[in-house]
Amino acid sequence: MYTRFLAIAIPVVCALCARADVTFDLTLLASNECFACGVYAVGDIDQDGANDIVAGEGSPRLVWYPYPISADTKHTIASSASLGFEIHLGDVDNDGDLDVMSSGAGITWWENPLLPGGNPATDSWEVHEFGSSGGDHNGGSHDFKAGDIDGDGWVDGVERGQNTGQYIVYLNDQAGGWSQFSVNASRGGEGTWLGDVDGDGDLDLTDGWAWFECPDNPASESWTQHDVGNAGYHLTRSYIADINEDGNMDILVSPTEFGGSKLVWWEAPDDPKTGPWTEHILVEYNDPNFHTLQVGDIDLDGHLDVLVGSTHGPNSDPKLLWIFYNTNGDGLTWEEQKWNSPGGCWQGILGDVGSDGDLDILTVDYSGGNQGEFYENTLDPDMTAVSHRRAAPDARQLSGPSMRMLFTPDGTASAPYVIFRESSGTGNSRVFDLRGKRVSLDPRRLERPPRIE
């Protein structure tokens, strides 16, 4: 079943303004039947061109829902699975399809049988365990992330327990084996994200308080810890993203287990190794906690927005989904949209389910008996990028059958360039200045303005 869902915006003071122009279709998925076994990932499992949903659910089991999503249509990956608090997709064996990774009692990946010549809906997924979890939370690690840490083109993994000041990194040796090493942190707690903080082309680590610099040889050289700031809590969700579009990678952090805290993004200096980092508070809130923290362009205006969600804390009601829209792309002015989530938002994620060009939300509470929630973004990527901007009537018109829309990114005729969206459904953009000279634009960022010096 699905329900058209309009998230209700509630006005707050300071730099936040209410908005309610993004709507979602809500589909209820299967319930989780045990503690911390409701987790999600998004990717094209069967390579039909539309991203599917991979879910940990039940007691627990691992399944995938093919797109279009129906609660009644899903395929089993593992009828019984030891899942950690996260699952991730990646081509672990480099055979061209997406596999599933997690960290429960052991660090595990499930091999997609699609290639060569298989069917992930009917064929068995072979399970591979490549480590005994070094975590300390309910028999497994609390945090787990996947990415190419040593830059060899193969997917690696990193885990962290809730109470340890140590990350364990697992390197894929490209032959079915794994080596591991530790990265020491100055504090215990939750919170792990991978991203290129210093712009040198490799993946660094952060816990929201500090970032850990990946060396040239990550397995044999020391990872240098660079402090960012103290947000006031040690159990966190963290994220690395360029919030203010200055070319530097900023760090976001939210409290996961305790209310009375603040949601923060730390503005990176030009040299993130020397600092200082500038603290920006999105909101201070007595309750709830924010065990979900995700970043992406939810309203398709070209700026990165922030999704947080709550599940438990000093008070369990309300359980919120809360979106902060980065209005001007500078990280200083935000509009908000929030609503009560029936089941809570424990490890919620953003992902483009169906590959239709917008970001959807998947979430479920951490305790047993709660149904999963799939909020499908109803925005039309072909139209939404211009829905809040008026056309520039005196901008130079460039004709052509593939042109659909003409506007200036700030909604006025004074901007030095204009953007054309193709009507073919490809999502491609072509950018010109007002003299008709074409400007380079990364199509993956859609309408994000090119930097003008």
Side-chain angles (χ1 to χ4, degrees):
M1 62 169 290
Y2 78 88
T3 303
R4 175 57 55 85
F5 182 83
L6 172 62
I8 300 173
I10 303 173
V12 297
V13 295
C14 73
L16 294 175
C17 303
R19 71 185 289 165
D21 54 357
V22 180
T23 59
F24 300 86
D25 286 340
L26 172 59
T27 299
L28 296 178
L29 304 177
S31 299
N32 59 334
E33 299 167 11
C34 59
F35 173 79
C37 57
V39 286
Y40 296 103
V42 173
D44 189 0
I45 295 298
D46 54 3
Q47 295 190 1
D48 64 350
N51 284 338
D52 311 300
I53 296 172
V54 177
E57 59 185 35
S59 55
R61 57 185 173 269
L62 190 62
V63 302
W64 67 280
Y65 291 84
Y67 189 85
I69 303 301
S70 167
D72 300 324
T73 304
K74 58 187 173 184
H75 307 294
T76 299
I77 296 174
S79 58
S80 178
S82 175
L83 300 177
F85 283 11
E86 300 179 51
I87 56 176
H88 294 280
L89 305 183
D91 188 2
V92 179
D93 51 1
N94 264 7
D95 66 348
D97 55 27
L98 290 177
D99 309 302
V100 183
M101 304 178 73
S102 187
S103 60
I107 312 300
T108 307
W109 70 279
W110 290 265
E111 183 178 351
N112 189 341
L114 178 64
L115 297 175
N119 186 336
T122 58
D123 294 344
S124 297
W125 291 58
E126 186 176 355
V127 59
H128 306 268
E129 185 171 309
F130 60 89
S132 177
S133 176
D136 55 6
H137 197 72
N138 300 297
S141 60
H142 190 284
D143 300 338
F144 180 77
K145 295 291 183 287
D148 183 8
I149 294 172
D150 57 0
D152 65 352
W154 290 69
V155 177
D156 309 306
V158 60
E159 66 158 337
R160 187 185 190 188
Q162 189 181 50
N163 301 312
T164 180
Q166 189 177 75
Y167 295 98
I168 301 177
V169 180
Y170 298 88
L171 297 182
N172 188 338
D173 72 359
Q174 308 178 22
W178 300 79
S179 61
Q180 69 181 67
F181 63 91
S182 299
V183 176
N184 293 320
S186 61
R187 68 177 190 91
E190 302 171 7
T192 301
W193 198 262
L194 288 169
D196 187 5
V197 176
D198 53 0
D200 64 352
D202 55 30
L203 293 178
D204 308 302
L205 280 165
T206 188
D207 61 4
W209 286 52
W211 69 278
F212 304 87
E213 182 182 352
C214 181
D216 291 338
N217 190 327
S220 61
E221 299 178 14
S222 296
W223 291 57
T224 302
Q225 175 175 323
H226 303 279
D227 291 335
V228 173
N230 184 347
Y233 42 86
H234 74 288
L235 300 178
T236 71
R237 295 286 87 185
S238 58
Y239 208 103
I240 298 171
D242 183 5
I243 293 297
N244 60 347
E245 303 177 8
D246 64 351
N248 301 326
M249 299 303 288
D250 310 303
I251 292 176
L252 297 92
V253 61
S254 68
T256 59
E257 302 293 340
F258 307 105
S261 297
K262 55 192 176 181
L263 173 63
V264 170
W265 73 275
W266 295 98
E267 181 180 351
D270 288 337
D271 185 352
K273 300 177 184 180
T274 60
W277 293 65
T278 302
E279 180 185 48
H280 299 278
I281 300 173
L282 270 73
V283 66
E284 291 187 87
Y285 206 65
N286 290 331
D287 190 60
N289 57 358
F290 295 127
H291 209 287
T292 287
L293 174 61
Q294 294 278 285
V295 176
D297 185 6
I298 298 172
D299 59 356
L300 298 178
D301 67 348
H303 309 308
L304 292 178
D305 310 308
V306 178
L307 169 72
V308 294
S310 64
T311 177
H312 60 284
N315 302 301
S316 59
D317 187 40
K319 295 181 179 180
L320 293 176
L321 278 167
W322 200 338
I323 301 173
F324 295 87
Y325 293 100
N326 190 357
T327 308
N328 300 319
D330 58 7
L332 302 178
T333 304
W334 301 84
E335 297 176 352
E336 68 161 334
Q337 185 179 15
K338 62 182 177 180
W339 65 93
N340 287 354
S341 167
C345 188
W346 174 60
Q347 293 281 67
I349 66 167
L350 288 171
D352 183 7
V353 179
S355 303
D356 59 352
D358 55 31
L359 291 176
D360 312 297
I361 302 170
L362 283 156
T363 182
V364 69
D365 200 5
Y366 80 110
S367 58
N370 293 288
Q371 281 191 282
E373 299 168 16
F374 165 45
Y375 293 91
E376 186 168 13
N377 193 331
T378 64
L379 294 179
D380 181 354
D382 285 332
M383 297 299 295
T384 302
V386 298
S387 63
H388 305 297
R389 303 170 175 138
R390 59 185 176 86
D394 59 348
R396 179 169 179 169
Q397 298 290 327
L398 300 178
S399 61
S402 65
M403 303 308 171
R404 178 172 187 169
M405 196 70 69
L406 170 65
F407 62 96
T408 54
D410 66 352
T412 73
S414 61
Y417 52 88
V418 294
I419 299 176
F420 291 92
R421 292 296 308 274
E422 294 186 2
S423 61
S424 61
T426 63
N428 293 331
S429 300
R430 291 194 287 171
V431 186
F432 300 83
D433 63 24
L434 295 187
R435 297 180 302 276
K437 182 178 179 181
R438 188 165 181 177
V439 180
S440 176
L441 176 73
D442 183 351
R444 293 171 298 179
R445 294 308 307 272
L446 297 177
E447 268 62 38
R448 176 171 175 173
R451 182 180 295 277
I452 297 176
E453 303 296 343

